[in-house]
Amino acid sequence: MKELRLMKGNEAIAEAAIRCGCDAYFGYPITPQSEILEYLMVEKPHERTGMVVLQAESEVASINMVYAGAGCGRKVMTSSSSPGVSLMQEGLSYCAGAELPCLLVNVVRGGPGLGTIQPSQADYFQSTKGGGHGDYRLIVLAPSSVQEMCDFVGLGFDLAFKYRNPALILTDGAIGQMMEKVMLPASVNRWTEEEIKQQTPWATTGKPADRPANVITSLELDSAKQEKVNQKLQAKYAEMEKNEVRFERIQCDDAEYLFVAFGTSARICQKSIDLARAKGIKVGLLRPITLFPFPKDEIEKLAGQVKGMLSVEMNAGQMVEDIRLNAKGKCPVEHYGRFGGIMPSPDEVLKVLEQKFIGG
Amino acid sequence: MAETIFDPNIIKDQNLVYKRTDHMKEKALSYCPGCGHGTAHRILMEVIEEMGIQEKTIGVSPVGCSVLAYDFMNVDMQGAAHGRAPALATAIKRLMPDKFVFTYQGDGDLAAIGTAETIHACNRGEHITIIFINNGIYGMTGGQMAPTTLPGMRSSTSPYGRDEATMGHPLRMTELVATLPGTCFVTRQAVHTPGNVRKAKRALRTAFELQTRKIGVSFVEIVSNCNSGWKMTPVKANTWMEENMFPYYPLGDIKVPEKID
Ligand SMILES: Cc1ncc(C[n+]2csc(CCOP(=O)(O)OP(=O)(O)O)c2C)c(N)n1
Ligand code: SF4
C-alpha cells in the first residue's frame, strides 16, 4: 500500500528498495549515507520480502557482490559516498563491461581525498564520464528531493534492466540527510525463480541440460571481437541518449537568463528565481534529472532563447563543460561553484547572475 | 614404416576404463603442457558430474592463468575481477542458498590482491567451496613473485631470489584460514601423481558435500606446478615441487568437521 511518511533521503532510498522488490543490498558504512544500511538492518527486509542485506568488508567487496548478484539476474544494489565510490570504480567498469543491470547510490561528500563529510557535487565527472577504466557510461539520475530519492530507486532498476547497464543515483549529503514528506510506493513482489529465468535468460542460475552454460564476463581477448563489444555498448548508450533524457523546466518559457543546476543546487536556484523575479529579472531553471544521458537538445534550444546561462554547481565547474558543449556558442555560459562542502545561498547565486550577465 | 602397435578394434564400450567427463567443454585447454590447472579442472568437473549437481552449481573464475576456466568447465560461471571471487561467491550463495558455489583461484588472486575477500568470506562462514591453486608464482603475467614464492626462489621480480628481509615471507593462507571459525574443512592437496589426484578429488567431493551442511567455507588448496614460470620441464617441476614446495606447504587435512552419522 502507498504510504505518506516523513523521512530522511537516505531512509527513503532504503525503504523504496524493499518496496520495489530489490533482492539484495551490499554495503559498507560511510558518512553521509550510513543510514541506508542502518535502516535496512533495523527493518529486517529478509522477513518482509526475503531481501538479503549484508555489510561487506569494503566497498570493493560490495560492488563485486553486486556484480555477482546482478549476474544471477537479481535486482541488487549498493550505496556509498565519494571515497567509497572511488574504490568501486574497477568493479563498476566490470559491471558495465559484462552488461550487468544494478543500482548504485553515491551520496556525495566533498573531496578530494578524505575531504569532508559535507555535501558536494564534485563527483559529476566521475559519474557521467565513466569513472573507471574503459569506454562506458552509467545511467545517472540526480534527485533533488526526498520524494525523488524514493522514486529513482524503482526507476533506476527499471532502466538498468531495460538496458542491461548499471544505474547510479547521484545525490549528496544534503538530500541524504534532510527530512521531507515522501509518498512511498506500494510494495511489489520480488521476481520469482521463474520470472528471473524469463527476464534474464543470460544469468547464471544453474545450467540445465537444455541450454549451454551461461557465462558472465567482461573479457574478450580477441581484439576484433572486443571492438564489436565496444561498438555494441556505444550503440546502447546512443539508445539511452535517444530515449531516456529527463529534465525539469522551471519558469523557462519567458526566461531571459537561465540557471542550469541539478540536485541540491537546483533547489537553491529555485529560491534564487523567486528573488530574481521579485526584482523583475526573468530567470528560469533547467534541472537535468538524467546527467547521463544529458539533456543536450534542451540546452541547445534554450541557448537560442536566453541571453546567458549560469551553471550552478557545488564543484569547481564540471557540468558547465557539457552545457558549453551543447549551447554551441549560442549564448554565453558561465559557472558558479562553491566546494569543499559549502552550499551557495540563493542571494549569492542571484548576485553572481547579475554580475556576470546584467552588470551590477 | 612403423609397425602398428594399436588395434583400433579395441575401442569398444565394454573396454572403456576411463572417460573424459562431458562436464568439461569440447575445447582444448590453454594451459602449458604439464601444468596442474588442467588436472584440477578435470577432477573438479568429475566431482560435479558424479554428484549430479551440474544444474545446481555456479562457479567463479579468477584473473590468472585460469581466467578462462569458464571456457572449459561446463557449468554456469562468472568471471571475477582480480582477487574478488570470494565476494562474488558470497553474493551468489546468499541469493541462491540451495546452489553449490565454488571459486577457483590462483595464489596471486587469493593470497595477494584478494586477501581481504578471502579472509572475510571465510570469517563470515559462507557456505561455499574455495579452490586455491598454489604454484608459488604469478603464471599468467609471466612469472613474477607471488606471496607464496619460497625463500630464495627466483622469479622475474625476485631475480636474485626472494629475500625474506625485504620481500616478506611465503604466506600460508591455508593454515591462516583454518584458524577461523567460519571454515569447516581445510585441506592441502596436490595433483602431480595418480595417487594425489585421487586424494585431491576425494577432498573436492568432501568440500562440495559439506556445502549442504551449511557449516561454513570448505577450502581446498592444491599445490601445483608452474613449469613455465619456474623455467623447468614438467617432470623437473614436479620433482622440484616435492622437494621444495611440500616441506613448506605440507599436504594433508588441516581442519576436518565432526562426522555426522
Ligand atoms: C587489478 C589487477 N591487477 C593486476 C592484474 C594483472 N594480473 C593478471 S593475473 C595476475 C597474477 C595471477 O597469478 P595467480 O593468481 O598466482 O595465478 P596463476 O596465473 O599463477 O594461475 C596479475 C597480477 C589484473 N588483471 N588486475
Ligand atoms: S604459466 Fe604456469 S600456471 Fe600458467 S598455464 Fe603455464 S604452467 Fe600453468
Side-chain angles (χ1 to χ4, degrees), chain A residues 283-296:
Chain A
V283 195
L285 166 67
L286 179 71
R287 178 171 78 90
I289 292 173
T290 49
L291 299 180
F292 183 87
F294 192 69
K296 293 178 175 175

Side-chain angles (χ1 to χ4, degrees), chain A residues 79-95:
Chain A
S79 65
S80 187
S81 179
S82 310
V85 176
S86 290
L87 269 182
M88 291 185 187
Q89 294 303 322
E90 183 202 28
L92 267 176
S93 170
Y94 274 66
C95 289

Side-chain angles (χ1 to χ4, degrees), chain A residues 194-326:
Chain A
E194 274 321 298
E195 283 168 326
I196 289 165
K197 284 180 185 160
Q198 264 168 23
Q199 300 287 338
T200 61
W202 43 265
T204 54
T205 47
K207 179 204 167 329
D210 60 357
R211 74 151 162 80
N214 281 343
V215 173
I216 301 297
T217 181
S218 59
L219 179 71
E220 179 46 75
L221 290 167
D222 178 340
S223 293
K225 289 187 188 156
Q226 184 58 262
E227 185 172 47
K228 291 230 158 62
V229 169
N230 270 269
Q231 284 162 344
K232 186 178 160 224
L233 290 179
Q234 293 304 320
K236 188 168 83 172
Y237 306 145
E239 273 301 295
M240 293 174 191
E241 300 218 58
K242 211 166 77 193
N243 305 327
E244 307 302 343
V245 174
R246 288 168 170 76
F247 54 83
E248 186 184 9
R249 284 167 55 108
I250 296 168
Q251 305 203 46
C252 285
D253 290 350
D254 66 345
E256 292 176 1
Y257 302 95
L258 190 76
F259 293 127
V260 186
F262 68 94
T264 295
S265 300
R267 291 174 73 111
I268 295 165
C269 287
Q270 267 178 271
K271 185 70 189 158
S272 306
I273 291 177
D274 295 343
L275 299 176
R277 290 202 171 242
K279 287 172 102 178
I281 309 170
K282 288 182 179 163
V283 195
L285 166 67
L286 179 71
R287 178 171 78 90
I289 292 173
T290 49
L291 299 180
F292 183 87
F294 192 69
K296 293 178 175 175
D297 295 346
E298 195 60 22
I299 292 281
E300 187 179 350
K301 206 167 82 191
L302 285 163
Q305 169 191 323
V306 300
K307 295 180 192 158
M309 288 186 179
L310 183 66
S311 180
V312 181
E313 305 172 61
M314 280 142 59
N315 61 41
Q318 301 191 10
M319 183 171 69
V320 67
E321 293 191 2
D322 288 328
I323 302 169
R324 285 212 178 101
L325 212 62
N326 292 293

Side-chain angles (χ1 to χ4, degrees), chain B residues 126-193:
Chain B
E126 303 295 341
H127 311 311
I128 60 174
T129 295
I130 294 179
I131 300 159
F132 169 35
I133 309 294
N134 175 8
N135 56 16
I137 206 159
Y138 287 8
M140 188 196 209
T141 39
Q144 294 84 5
M145 185 178 69
T148 46
T149 297
L150 295 178
M153 186 174 164
R154 287 170 200 268
S155 72
S156 65
T157 53
S158 57
Y160 307 109
R162 182 177 191 161
D163 171 12
E164 286 182 281
T166 57
M167 297 168 170
H169 313 281
L171 187 54
R172 292 189 185 94
M173 276 302 273
T174 306
E175 278 79 356
L176 211 153
V177 301
T179 64
L180 303 172
T183 54
C184 65
F185 175 52
V186 180
T187 184
R188 184 181 284 120
Q189 302 289 331
V191 291
H192 66 307
T193 67

Side-chain angles (χ1 to χ4, degrees), chain A residues 122-142:
Chain A
D123 297 353
Y124 177 90
F125 280 154
Q126 183 199 58
S127 311
T128 58
K129 310 293 178 189
H133 59 285
D135 269 326
Y136 73 91
R137 300 296 182 134
L138 307 176
I139 299 160
V140 186
L141 300 168

Side-chain angles (χ1 to χ4, degrees), chain A residues 57 67 205-206 211 214 216, chain B residues 70 76-79 99 124:
Chain A
E57 62 270 33
Y67 172 101
T205 47
R211 74 151 162 80
N214 281 343
I216 301 297
Chain B
Y70 51 70
D76 277 4
M77 289 193 74
Q78 298 195 8
K99 297 285 194 257
R124 284 189 303 263

